[in-house]
Amino acid sequence: VPAFEEGPVQALEQPLLGWREIGTAPKDGGEMLIAVAGLWCTVGRWLGEDAGWWEMNNDPTDSWGRGPLHPTHWMPLPEPPK
């Protein structure tokens, strides 16, 4: 969490850092880092009530990947390097 030395308003405007409980993850289909039972981390997304959480495949011809998974935590993906 950003330090409050900058002032409370500026701190609240900055994104929260670190892992968050999976229950707080957005379920909009967007990709994010997910931690599975504290054993490993991967890029994943929520694919709906029937499908659940899935790891995203690096193969561009296969949009699914591996799942369903049971992650415990999530965090937003960082910005890619420039």
Side-chain angles (χ1 to χ4, degrees):
V1 177
F4 278 98
E5 288 84 19
E6 301 172 24
V9 173
Q10 290 82 4
L12 292 173
E13 290 174 350
Q14 296 179 18
L16 295 175
L17 303 176
W19 291 101
R20 305 170 194 179
E21 296 289 326
I22 197 65
T24 65
K27 293 185 175 180
D28 59 3
E31 294 181 358
M32 63 194 76
L33 292 175
I34 57 174
V36 180
L39 300 174
W40 51 280
C41 302
T42 187
V43 175
R45 74 168 91 172
W46 176 256
L47 294 179
E49 292 296 328
D50 292 333
W53 290 98
W54 280 69
E55 177 180 38
M56 301 324 309
N57 195 332
N58 289 330
D59 179 353
T61 64
D62 180 3
S63 62
W64 282 91
R66 179 173 39 172
L69 304 175
H70 303 285
T72 57
H73 292 81
W74 77 281
M75 72 168 42
L77 288 172
E79 290 294 320
K82 296 180 181 185

